[in-house]
Amino acid sequence: MNRLEVIKGDITLLDVDAIVNAANNSLLGGGGVDGAIHNAAGPDLLAECQKLGGCETGQAKITKGYRLKSKHVIHTVGPVWYGGSRDEHALLASCYNTSLSLAKEKKIKTIAFPGISTGAYGFPIDQAAIIAVNETKKFLSKNSYPEKVIFVTFGDSSYETYRKLLEK
Ligand code: ADP
């Protein structure tokens, strides 16, 4: 089975075991994919997030998916891009690693990631996609869960960027 896939579309619509949210440190919702996930999941998601006490950059926390088709949401906080000198690469790698480790712990079979940090947080997509794909490949080579990882791109050229990386 091919364990890596890239698709174009809205991550909130996917029927998977977990979708990953590009959250902020408060975990109390925001714009972009975070707002879309909270809108689609409904107010119970915010209520659960309020009990989590926030999340450090580069870390991840898991909740239920509520009204989403996805059973879980893994909230990870990507780094804001300051030009690359503030540990942004390592922090983004950590987002993928901690999210995948949580998925493994919960025996999650299918998980979908948006481009963490590549929207409002300004991480250059080419560099972010390399980190996403490399970290995920490394993790999957050592672990049998999650079985499948889907990268979800949102209506722009990043689809081609991921596709080329996955071909390698
Ligand atoms: P960040 O603050 O981590 O940069 P954003 O939500 O601003 O997070 O953007 C992260 C990525 O998610 C961007 O590439 C954006 O295009 C994408 N995105 C926004 N909404 C959705 C959605 N509904 N499904 C999938 N990807 C989305």
mmCIF file of all heavy atoms in Angstrom, residues 8-13 20-24 30-37 76-80 92 113-123 125 152-156 158, ligand 1:
data_model
loop_
_atom_site.group_PDB
_atom_site.id
_atom_site.type_symbol
_atom_site.label_atom_id
_atom_site.label_comp_id
_atom_site.label_asym_id
_atom_site.label_seq_id
_atom_site.Cartn_x
_atom_site.Cartn_y
_atom_site.Cartn_z
ATOM 1 N N LYS A 8 -5.960 17.747 -3.342
ATOM 2 C CA LYS A 8 -6.395 19.142 -3.252
ATOM 3 C C LYS A 8 -7.766 19.151 -2.604
ATOM 4 O O LYS A 8 -8.601 18.319 -2.943
ATOM 5 C CB LYS A 8 -6.573 19.729 -4.651
ATOM 6 C CG LYS A 8 -5.314 20.009 -5.395
ATOM 7 C CD LYS A 8 -5.654 20.659 -6.729
ATOM 8 C CE LYS A 8 -4.460 20.586 -7.649
ATOM 9 N NZ LYS A 8 -4.723 21.131 -8.971
ATOM 10 N N GLY A 9 -8.006 20.084 -1.697
ATOM 11 C CA GLY A 9 -9.361 20.182 -1.177
ATOM 12 C C GLY A 9 -9.433 20.748 0.217
ATOM 13 O O GLY A 9 -8.447 21.250 0.765
ATOM 14 N N ASP A 10 -10.635 20.637 0.765
ATOM 15 C CA ASP A 10 -10.949 21.183 2.088
ATOM 16 C C ASP A 10 -10.783 20.065 3.112
ATOM 17 O O ASP A 10 -11.528 19.082 3.106
ATOM 18 C CB ASP A 10 -12.397 21.690 2.053
ATOM 19 C CG ASP A 10 -12.829 22.297 3.366
ATOM 20 O OD1 ASP A 10 -12.103 22.176 4.380
ATOM 21 O OD2 ASP A 10 -13.929 22.891 3.383
ATOM 22 N N ILE A 11 -9.843 20.232 4.012
ATOM 23 C CA ILE A 11 -9.526 19.172 4.978
ATOM 24 C C ILE A 11 -10.704 18.866 5.905
ATOM 25 O O ILE A 11 -10.813 17.749 6.414
ATOM 26 C CB ILE A 11 -8.249 19.550 5.782
ATOM 27 C CG1 ILE A 11 -7.616 18.317 6.421
ATOM 28 C CG2 ILE A 11 -8.536 20.626 6.820
ATOM 29 C CD1 ILE A 11 -6.215 18.551 6.970
ATOM 30 N N THR A 12 -11.587 19.831 6.106
ATOM 31 C CA THR A 12 -12.707 19.612 7.036
ATOM 32 C C THR A 12 -13.700 18.577 6.511
ATOM 33 O O THR A 12 -14.532 18.087 7.263
ATOM 34 C CB THR A 12 -13.477 20.916 7.336
ATOM 35 O OG1 THR A 12 -14.120 21.371 6.134
ATOM 36 C CG2 THR A 12 -12.565 21.998 7.869
ATOM 37 N N LEU A 13 -13.635 18.262 5.222
ATOM 38 C CA LEU A 13 -14.611 17.338 4.636
ATOM 39 C C LEU A 13 -14.133 15.889 4.630
ATOM 40 O O LEU A 13 -14.889 14.987 4.248
ATOM 41 C CB LEU A 13 -14.919 17.766 3.192
ATOM 42 C CG LEU A 13 -15.466 19.191 3.031
ATOM 43 C CD1 LEU A 13 -15.682 19.510 1.555
ATOM 44 C CD2 LEU A 13 -16.778 19.342 3.802
ATOM 45 N N VAL A 20 -5.330 17.119 11.080
ATOM 46 C CA VAL A 20 -4.449 17.959 11.880
ATOM 47 C C VAL A 20 -4.862 19.410 11.676
ATOM 48 O O VAL A 20 -5.170 19.841 10.556
ATOM 49 C CB VAL A 20 -2.967 17.727 11.495
ATOM 50 C CG1 VAL A 20 -2.046 18.618 12.314
ATOM 51 C CG2 VAL A 20 -2.605 16.255 11.698
ATOM 52 N N ASN A 21 -4.875 20.136 12.775
ATOM 53 C CA ASN A 21 -5.210 21.559 12.748
ATOM 54 C C ASN A 21 -3.946 22.389 12.915
ATOM 55 O O ASN A 21 -3.134 22.115 13.794
ATOM 56 C CB ASN A 21 -6.189 21.858 13.887
ATOM 57 C CG ASN A 21 -6.644 23.302 13.914
ATOM 58 O OD1 ASN A 21 -6.463 24.034 12.932
ATOM 59 N ND2 ASN A 21 -7.233 23.723 15.021
ATOM 60 N N ALA A 22 -3.803 23.420 12.075
ATOM 61 C CA ALA A 22 -2.729 24.399 12.249
ATOM 62 C C ALA A 22 -3.229 25.433 13.253
ATOM 63 O O ALA A 22 -3.793 26.462 12.893
ATOM 64 C CB ALA A 22 -2.392 25.061 10.911
ATOM 65 N N ALA A 23 -3.054 25.112 14.527
ATOM 66 C CA ALA A 23 -3.627 25.919 15.606
ATOM 67 C C ALA A 23 -2.645 27.002 16.050
ATOM 68 O O ALA A 23 -1.529 27.098 15.537
ATOM 69 C CB ALA A 23 -3.967 24.996 16.776
ATOM 70 N N ASN A 24 -3.067 27.812 17.009
ATOM 71 C CA ASN A 24 -2.135 28.766 17.638
ATOM 72 C C ASN A 24 -1.958 28.371 19.102
ATOM 73 O O ASN A 24 -2.607 27.446 19.585
ATOM 74 C CB ASN A 24 -2.625 30.210 17.465
ATOM 75 C CG ASN A 24 -4.013 30.394 18.021
ATOM 76 O OD1 ASN A 24 -4.322 29.942 19.130
ATOM 77 N ND2 ASN A 24 -4.882 31.044 17.256
ATOM 78 N N GLY A 30 -8.972 30.356 15.527
ATOM 79 C CA GLY A 30 -8.315 31.457 14.832
ATOM 80 C C GLY A 30 -8.830 31.505 13.416
ATOM 81 O O GLY A 30 -9.937 31.051 13.140
ATOM 82 N N GLY A 31 -8.003 32.034 12.511
ATOM 83 C CA GLY A 31 -8.424 32.126 11.110
ATOM 84 C C GLY A 31 -7.966 30.913 10.335
ATOM 85 O O GLY A 31 -7.576 29.900 10.923
ATOM 86 N N GLY A 32 -8.020 31.004 9.029
ATOM 87 C CA GLY A 32 -7.506 29.948 8.152
ATOM 88 C C GLY A 32 -8.135 28.594 8.431
ATOM 89 O O GLY A 32 -9.333 28.483 8.711
ATOM 90 N N VAL A 33 -7.304 27.580 8.384
ATOM 91 C CA VAL A 33 -7.808 26.212 8.530
ATOM 92 C C VAL A 33 -8.351 25.992 9.951
ATOM 93 O O VAL A 33 -9.310 25.231 10.147
ATOM 94 C CB VAL A 33 -6.700 25.197 8.143
ATOM 95 C CG1 VAL A 33 -5.609 25.103 9.161
ATOM 96 C CG2 VAL A 33 -7.304 23.836 7.841
ATOM 97 N N ASP A 34 -7.789 26.672 10.923
ATOM 98 C CA ASP A 34 -8.251 26.573 12.316
ATOM 99 C C ASP A 34 -9.722 27.003 12.419
ATOM 100 O O ASP A 34 -10.561 26.286 12.991
ATOM 101 C CB ASP A 34 -7.348 27.489 13.167
ATOM 102 C CG ASP A 34 -7.451 27.238 14.654
ATOM 103 O OD1 ASP A 34 -8.203 26.338 15.065
ATOM 104 O OD2 ASP A 34 -6.757 27.958 15.407
ATOM 105 N N GLY A 35 -10.031 28.156 11.843
ATOM 106 C CA GLY A 35 -11.418 28.651 11.858
ATOM 107 C C GLY A 35 -12.347 27.696 11.134
ATOM 108 O O GLY A 35 -13.464 27.411 11.604
ATOM 109 N N ALA A 36 -11.880 27.174 10.005
ATOM 110 C CA ALA A 36 -12.713 26.259 9.213
ATOM 111 C C ALA A 36 -13.001 24.976 10.002
ATOM 112 O O ALA A 36 -14.130 24.460 9.993
ATOM 113 C CB ALA A 36 -12.012 25.936 7.894
ATOM 114 N N ILE A 37 -11.988 24.469 10.711
ATOM 115 C CA ILE A 37 -12.173 23.232 11.492
ATOM 116 C C ILE A 37 -13.136 23.479 12.658
ATOM 117 O O ILE A 37 -14.052 22.683 12.894
ATOM 118 C CB ILE A 37 -10.804 22.688 11.984
ATOM 119 C CG1 ILE A 37 -10.030 22.113 10.793
ATOM 120 C CG2 ILE A 37 -10.981 21.633 13.071
ATOM 121 C CD1 ILE A 37 -8.583 21.725 11.082
ATOM 122 N N THR A 76 -1.810 21.129 16.273
ATOM 123 C CA THR A 76 -0.381 21.390 16.430
ATOM 124 C C THR A 76 -0.121 22.862 16.146
ATOM 125 O O THR A 76 -0.852 23.487 15.367
ATOM 126 C CB THR A 76 0.468 20.465 15.528
ATOM 127 O OG1 THR A 76 1.847 20.604 15.881
ATOM 128 C CG2 THR A 76 0.299 20.777 14.049
ATOM 129 N N VAL A 77 0.882 23.404 16.815
ATOM 130 C CA VAL A 77 1.163 24.831 16.677
ATOM 131 C C VAL A 77 2.473 25.004 15.920
ATOM 132 O O VAL A 77 3.554 24.684 16.433
ATOM 133 C CB VAL A 77 1.251 25.517 18.056
ATOM 134 C CG1 VAL A 77 1.459 27.018 17.882
ATOM 135 C CG2 VAL A 77 -0.003 25.232 18.873
ATOM 136 N N GLY A 78 2.346 25.466 14.691
ATOM 137 C CA GLY A 78 3.521 25.691 13.865
ATOM 138 C C GLY A 78 4.224 26.979 14.257
ATOM 139 O O GLY A 78 3.652 27.845 14.920
ATOM 140 N N PRO A 79 5.493 27.115 13.841
ATOM 141 C CA PRO A 79 6.230 28.342 14.107
ATOM 142 C C PRO A 79 5.818 29.461 13.147
ATOM 143 O O PRO A 79 5.494 29.194 11.987
ATOM 144 C CB PRO A 79 7.679 27.935 13.832
ATOM 145 C CG PRO A 79 7.561 26.867 12.770
ATOM 146 C CD PRO A 79 6.293 26.121 13.094
ATOM 147 N N VAL A 80 5.861 30.687 13.635
ATOM 148 C CA VAL A 80 5.750 31.846 12.750
ATOM 149 C C VAL A 80 7.100 31.971 12.037
ATOM 150 O O VAL A 80 8.153 31.765 12.653
ATOM 151 C CB VAL A 80 5.450 33.127 13.564
ATOM 152 C CG1 VAL A 80 5.445 34.358 12.669
ATOM 153 C CG2 VAL A 80 4.124 32.993 14.311
ATOM 154 N N LEU A 92 8.991 23.202 12.956
ATOM 155 C CA LEU A 92 8.004 22.636 12.027
ATOM 156 C C LEU A 92 8.173 21.110 11.950
ATOM 157 O O LEU A 92 7.176 20.371 11.962
ATOM 158 C CB LEU A 92 8.135 23.265 10.635
ATOM 159 C CG LEU A 92 7.035 22.847 9.661
ATOM 160 C CD1 LEU A 92 5.652 23.295 10.143
ATOM 161 C CD2 LEU A 92 7.300 23.402 8.255
ATOM 162 N N PHE A 113 -2.928 16.061 6.909
ATOM 163 C CA PHE A 113 -2.256 17.302 7.335
ATOM 164 C C PHE A 113 -2.528 18.433 6.348
ATOM 165 O O PHE A 113 -2.359 18.246 5.134
ATOM 166 C CB PHE A 113 -0.733 17.117 7.317
ATOM 167 C CG PHE A 113 -0.150 16.385 8.476
ATOM 168 C CD1 PHE A 113 0.069 15.015 8.405
ATOM 169 C CD2 PHE A 113 0.238 17.061 9.626
ATOM 170 C CE1 PHE A 113 0.653 14.327 9.469
ATOM 171 C CE2 PHE A 113 0.824 16.389 10.694
ATOM 172 C CZ PHE A 113 1.028 15.017 10.617
ATOM 173 N N PRO A 114 -2.825 19.627 6.841
ATOM 174 C CA PRO A 114 -2.757 20.811 5.973
ATOM 175 C C PRO A 114 -1.293 21.272 5.962
ATOM 176 O O PRO A 114 -0.455 20.673 6.638
ATOM 177 C CB PRO A 114 -3.644 21.824 6.706
ATOM 178 C CG PRO A 114 -3.396 21.526 8.152
ATOM 179 C CD PRO A 114 -3.165 20.011 8.233
ATOM 180 N N GLY A 115 -0.995 22.309 5.232
ATOM 181 C CA GLY A 115 0.362 22.861 5.228
ATOM 182 C C GLY A 115 0.573 23.706 6.471
ATOM 183 O O GLY A 115 0.374 24.923 6.458
ATOM 184 N N ILE A 116 1.007 23.047 7.549
ATOM 185 C CA ILE A 116 1.213 23.745 8.827
ATOM 186 C C ILE A 116 2.147 24.951 8.599
ATOM 187 O O ILE A 116 3.184 24.816 7.938
ATOM 188 C CB ILE A 116 1.864 22.804 9.871
ATOM 189 C CG1 ILE A 116 1.104 21.476 10.020
ATOM 190 C CG2 ILE A 116 2.034 23.498 11.220
ATOM 191 C CD1 ILE A 116 -0.276 21.594 10.542
ATOM 192 N N SER A 117 1.772 26.086 9.144
ATOM 193 C CA SER A 117 2.570 27.336 9.094
ATOM 194 C C SER A 117 2.633 28.012 7.723
ATOM 195 O O SER A 117 3.262 29.064 7.605
ATOM 196 C CB SER A 117 4.020 27.116 9.582
ATOM 197 O OG SER A 117 4.070 26.997 10.981
ATOM 198 N N THR A 118 2.019 27.422 6.688
ATOM 199 C CA THR A 118 2.214 27.980 5.337
ATOM 200 C C THR A 118 1.181 29.026 4.940
ATOM 201 O O THR A 118 1.190 29.515 3.816
ATOM 202 C CB THR A 118 2.231 26.875 4.259
ATOM 203 O OG1 THR A 118 0.949 26.233 4.232
ATOM 204 C CG2 THR A 118 3.314 25.858 4.524
ATOM 205 N N GLY A 119 0.278 29.359 5.856
ATOM 206 C CA GLY A 119 -0.700 30.406 5.580
ATOM 207 C C GLY A 119 -0.286 31.690 6.277
ATOM 208 O O GLY A 119 0.741 32.287 5.958
ATOM 209 N N ALA A 120 -1.076 32.077 7.270
ATOM 210 C CA ALA A 120 -0.820 33.312 8.004
ATOM 211 C C ALA A 120 0.574 33.342 8.638
ATOM 212 O O ALA A 120 1.163 34.415 8.799
ATOM 213 C CB ALA A 120 -1.884 33.488 9.089
ATOM 214 N N TYR A 121 1.129 32.166 8.972
ATOM 215 C CA TYR A 121 2.428 32.131 9.649
ATOM 216 C C TYR A 121 3.613 32.270 8.686
ATOM 217 O O TYR A 121 4.756 32.378 9.129
ATOM 218 C CB TYR A 121 2.572 30.872 10.511
ATOM 219 C CG TYR A 121 1.832 30.952 11.842
ATOM 220 C CD1 TYR A 121 1.022 32.038 12.160
ATOM 221 C CD2 TYR A 121 1.954 29.950 12.792
ATOM 222 C CE1 TYR A 121 0.347 32.118 13.381
ATOM 223 C CE2 TYR A 121 1.291 30.023 14.017
ATOM 224 C CZ TYR A 121 0.489 31.106 14.302
ATOM 225 O OH TYR A 121 -0.164 31.175 15.507
ATOM 226 N N GLY A 122 3.343 32.247 7.379
ATOM 227 C CA GLY A 122 4.329 32.691 6.393
ATOM 228 C C GLY A 122 5.508 31.790 6.074
ATOM 229 O O GLY A 122 6.482 32.231 5.440
ATOM 230 N N PHE A 123 5.474 30.529 6.488
ATOM 231 C CA PHE A 123 6.585 29.606 6.186
ATOM 232 C C PHE A 123 6.589 29.338 4.682
ATOM 233 O O PHE A 123 5.562 28.973 4.124
ATOM 234 C CB PHE A 123 6.381 28.294 6.951
ATOM 235 C CG PHE A 123 7.637 27.543 7.297
ATOM 236 C CD1 PHE A 123 8.011 27.369 8.632
ATOM 237 C CD2 PHE A 123 8.448 27.005 6.308
ATOM 238 C CE1 PHE A 123 9.173 26.671 8.973
ATOM 239 C CE2 PHE A 123 9.607 26.305 6.636
ATOM 240 C CZ PHE A 123 9.965 26.134 7.974
ATOM 241 N N ILE A 125 6.397 27.719 1.279
ATOM 242 C CA ILE A 125 5.780 26.427 1.005
ATOM 243 C C ILE A 125 6.790 25.381 0.548
ATOM 244 O O ILE A 125 6.702 24.220 0.953
ATOM 245 C CB ILE A 125 4.595 26.562 0.013
ATOM 246 C CG1 ILE A 125 3.985 25.190 -0.314
ATOM 247 C CG2 ILE A 125 4.950 27.297 -1.237
ATOM 248 C CD1 ILE A 125 3.374 24.475 0.842
ATOM 249 N N VAL A 152 -2.955 17.627 2.459
ATOM 250 C CA VAL A 152 -4.072 18.314 1.822
ATOM 251 C C VAL A 152 -3.634 19.714 1.424
ATOM 252 O O VAL A 152 -3.220 20.508 2.279
ATOM 253 C CB VAL A 152 -5.281 18.405 2.775
ATOM 254 C CG1 VAL A 152 -6.465 19.029 2.070
ATOM 255 C CG2 VAL A 152 -5.645 17.023 3.304
ATOM 256 N N THR A 153 -3.697 19.997 0.134
ATOM 257 C CA THR A 153 -3.325 21.331 -0.340
ATOM 258 C C THR A 153 -4.598 22.074 -0.703
ATOM 259 O O THR A 153 -5.607 21.475 -1.068
ATOM 260 C CB THR A 153 -2.381 21.258 -1.552
ATOM 261 O OG1 THR A 153 -3.058 20.604 -2.627
ATOM 262 C CG2 THR A 153 -1.123 20.491 -1.204
ATOM 263 N N PHE A 154 -4.522 23.373 -0.576
ATOM 264 C CA PHE A 154 -5.733 24.172 -0.638
ATOM 265 C C PHE A 154 -5.664 25.133 -1.820
ATOM 266 O O PHE A 154 -5.205 26.259 -1.688
ATOM 267 C CB PHE A 154 -5.886 24.925 0.679
ATOM 268 C CG PHE A 154 -7.286 25.374 0.973
ATOM 269 C CD1 PHE A 154 -8.328 24.467 0.984
ATOM 270 C CD2 PHE A 154 -7.560 26.703 1.259
ATOM 271 C CE1 PHE A 154 -9.621 24.856 1.275
ATOM 272 C CE2 PHE A 154 -8.852 27.117 1.553
ATOM 273 C CZ PHE A 154 -9.873 26.195 1.563
ATOM 274 N N GLY A 155 -6.088 24.628 -2.954
ATOM 275 C CA GLY A 155 -6.307 25.455 -4.135
ATOM 276 C C GLY A 155 -5.136 26.312 -4.621
ATOM 277 O O GLY A 155 -5.354 27.398 -5.128
ATOM 278 N N ASP A 156 -3.912 25.854 -4.488
ATOM 279 C CA ASP A 156 -2.807 26.647 -5.017
ATOM 280 C C ASP A 156 -1.740 25.733 -5.604
ATOM 281 O O ASP A 156 -1.960 24.546 -5.810
ATOM 282 C CB ASP A 156 -2.224 27.586 -3.950
ATOM 283 C CG ASP A 156 -1.844 26.812 -2.704
ATOM 284 O OD1 ASP A 156 -1.622 25.603 -2.811
ATOM 285 O OD2 ASP A 156 -1.781 27.427 -1.638
ATOM 286 N N SER A 158 0.826 24.491 -4.386
ATOM 287 C CA SER A 158 1.534 23.584 -3.485
ATOM 288 C C SER A 158 1.260 22.113 -3.805
ATOM 289 O O SER A 158 2.052 21.251 -3.442
ATOM 290 C CB SER A 158 1.218 23.894 -2.026
ATOM 291 O OG SER A 158 -0.144 23.774 -1.776
HETATM 292 P P1 ADP B 1 -0.831 28.931 9.804
HETATM 293 O O1 ADP B 1 -1.249 30.004 10.764
HETATM 294 O O2 ADP B 1 -0.215 27.725 10.507
HETATM 295 O O3 ADP B 1 0.000 29.449 8.686
HETATM 296 P P2 ADP B 1 -3.250 28.858 8.138
HETATM 297 O O4 ADP B 1 -4.552 28.287 8.513
HETATM 298 O O5 ADP B 1 -3.168 30.327 7.910
HETATM 299 O O6 ADP B 1 -2.211 28.348 9.251
HETATM 300 O O7 ADP B 1 -2.730 28.134 6.837
HETATM 301 C C1 ADP B 1 -2.203 26.834 6.805
HETATM 302 C C2 ADP B 1 -2.475 26.204 5.448
HETATM 303 O O8 ADP B 1 -3.795 25.678 5.443
HETATM 304 C C3 ADP B 1 -2.399 27.156 4.261
HETATM 305 O O9 ADP B 1 -1.644 26.523 3.224
HETATM 306 C C4 ADP B 1 -3.850 27.345 3.837
HETATM 307 O O10 ADP B 1 -3.961 27.553 2.450
HETATM 308 C C5 ADP B 1 -4.425 25.997 4.220
HETATM 309 N N1 ADP B 1 -5.887 25.943 4.442
HETATM 310 C C6 ADP B 1 -6.733 26.915 4.833
HETATM 311 N N2 ADP B 1 -7.992 26.435 4.947
HETATM 312 C C7 ADP B 1 -7.932 25.107 4.632
HETATM 313 C C8 ADP B 1 -8.884 24.045 4.529
HETATM 314 N N3 ADP B 1 -10.183 24.231 4.806
HETATM 315 N N4 ADP B 1 -8.442 22.803 4.171
HETATM 316 C C9 ADP B 1 -7.133 22.587 3.902
HETATM 317 N N5 ADP B 1 -6.184 23.541 3.962
HETATM 318 C C10 ADP B 1 -6.576 24.789 4.312
#
